[in-house]
Amino acid sequence: MARVFSLPDFFLPESPGRPIVYKKIKAKYRPVPQYGLQSLVRLLSGIESNLKPSFERQLNWPVRVVLDDHDGAAGVILPLIPDEYFVSLRRSSGEIKRRPAEVQYLFTDSRYCARVGIPYPDESQRLDLCRSLSFAMVMLHKLDVVYGDLSARNILFRVLPKPAVLLVDCDAVRPKGGAAPLGAQPHSPDWEPPEAVKARARRDSTGYNIQNKETDRYKLGLAVLRILSPGRGCSTNTDPKVVKSVLPPRIYSLLEQSLSVNPSGRPEAQTWYKEFTS
């Protein structure tokens, strides 16, 4: 949908030392209404000053909207993703490729990670990553923003200097009372909540496309489950029983509630965060 260009010679006045990039929307996806993207940029000014550094560390948020001579927005300016959120992936040919450290790599087993040369976090580090993810969702939901397509490719992770996650594609989120700037928020395959699966079965496209805090909470629970249960079948697993024997009862209970078919019973991100920090 977009191409990303480095802007090594440009800086914003409010953060003169912070590298930025230009995410240019491809012509076939335009026009994109500029006002929706501008509303996301304006949200930054409403964040409490004590939370803003954490917000900027954990969400790759648009900081400017770019316009050109055509209708709508041409793209957005984003902070450059820090190096620690990339991995050097060793291919079978021996070639090394630099890739975003997508959370999908956490779903693989230790042998795969050793073979391709990427980190394999231990159990404690994985719990810290889950805590970081839950806090990112706390901040979004506190602003009444629905992330939407929370999935294996939109969450980046790092292990050092300390475990943390970074949410990307934040130009596709939906603030309360508005539409997602880039159109309907998708469900990635194998990340569909039960209510979307049921809607698809009855060919209800409107019901299928609904995204809200409850669907975010389901996907948060799914991410926690998969981060904590790496190995065969992890990337499609929706059954919390696979980790029941290794999790504290309270965390397992939250997993069961999060993956429930009852949206109203899913715990808030704040509940997850408190549990991971207790």
Side-chain angles (χ1 to χ4, degrees):
M1 184 171 188
R3 293 183 63 193
V4 177
F5 299 89
S6 176
L7 299 175
D9 299 322
F10 291 86
F11 299 93
L12 298 178
E14 67 270 23
S15 50
R18 191 178 193 186
I20 55 176
V21 298
Y22 171 35
K23 184 176 182 180
K24 182 179 181 181
I25 301 167
K26 294 180 180 178
K28 66 179 180 179
Y29 295 107
R30 297 186 64 182
V32 170
Q34 60 175 290
Y35 303 105
L37 290 171
Q38 287 173 341
S39 71
L40 297 184
V41 173
R42 286 195 298 270
L43 270 175
L44 285 174
S45 62
I47 299 172
E48 298 172 17
S49 58
N50 61 321
L51 279 180
K52 194 167 185 179
S54 296
F55 188 93
E56 292 178 339
R57 282 194 300 268
Q58 292 207 242
L59 294 114
N60 189 236
W61 201 263
V63 292
R64 292 289 192 281
V65 178
V66 178
L67 306 178
D68 59 15
D69 294 333
H70 301 284
D71 291 339
V76 292
I77 301 297
L78 296 162
L80 177 69
I81 295 174
D83 283 342
E84 59 261 32
Y85 287 103
F86 286 82
V87 292
S88 296
L89 199 66
R90 184 171 58 245
R91 293 185 168 183
S92 56
S93 64
E95 181 185 15
I96 303 296
K97 284 286 187 179
R98 186 170 180 264
R99 291 284 184 263
E102 296 169 349
V103 79
Q104 63 178 328
Y105 294 126
L106 296 177
F107 305 161
T108 60
D109 60 31
S110 58
R111 289 175 297 178
Y112 172 83
C113 291
R115 186 169 71 251
V116 300
I118 60 176
Y120 184 78
D122 60 27
E123 182 178 331
S124 175
Q125 291 169 328
R126 288 173 184 271
L127 288 169
D128 284 343
L129 290 169
C130 292
R131 178 180 55 81
S132 177
L133 176 58
S134 64
F135 186 60
M137 297 305 294
V138 167
M139 291 188 287
L140 276 181
H141 286 181
K142 191 172 184 178
L143 291 171
D144 280 327
V145 172
V146 172
Y147 184 85
D149 190 24
L150 194 68
S151 62
R153 302 195 66 179
N154 290 336
I155 309 167
L156 306 186
F157 77 96
R158 72 179 191 197
V159 176
L160 299 173
K162 65 178 182 178
V165 304
L166 176 71
L167 297 186
V168 297
D169 287 348
C170 292
D171 50 347
V173 303
R174 180 174 60 81
K176 183 179 180 180
L182 302 184
Q185 294 176 297
H187 295 293
S188 288
D190 300 316
W191 289 78
E192 298 162 314
E195 53 268 38
V197 174
K198 290 179 180 178
R200 183 180 59 190
R202 61 178 184 265
R203 299 183 180 180
D204 175 7
S205 59
T206 300
Y208 178 82
N209 288 322
I210 290 175
Q211 300 262 26
N212 48 37
K213 289 183 181 179
E214 287 74 22
T215 59
D216 272 0
R217 291 167 188 159
Y218 175 85
K219 294 174 186 181
L220 171 58
L222 207 55
V224 169
L225 170 64
R226 293 173 179 177
I227 290 170
L228 297 179
S229 59
R232 183 182 295 273
C234 170
S235 61
T236 58
N237 181 38
T238 60
D239 184 2
K241 291 186 179 65
V242 299
V243 291
K244 184 175 183 178
S245 62
V246 297
L247 288 184
R250 289 185 299 179
I251 292 181
Y252 178 74
S253 177
L254 288 180
L255 263 183
E256 282 195 310
Q257 296 169 50
S258 294
L259 302 179
S260 166
V261 297
N262 176 21
S264 64
R266 296 169 189 160
E268 296 181 0
Q270 180 71 37
T271 304
W272 273 112
Y273 180 67
K274 287 180 178 178
E275 187 58 46
F276 283 127
T277 53
S278 62

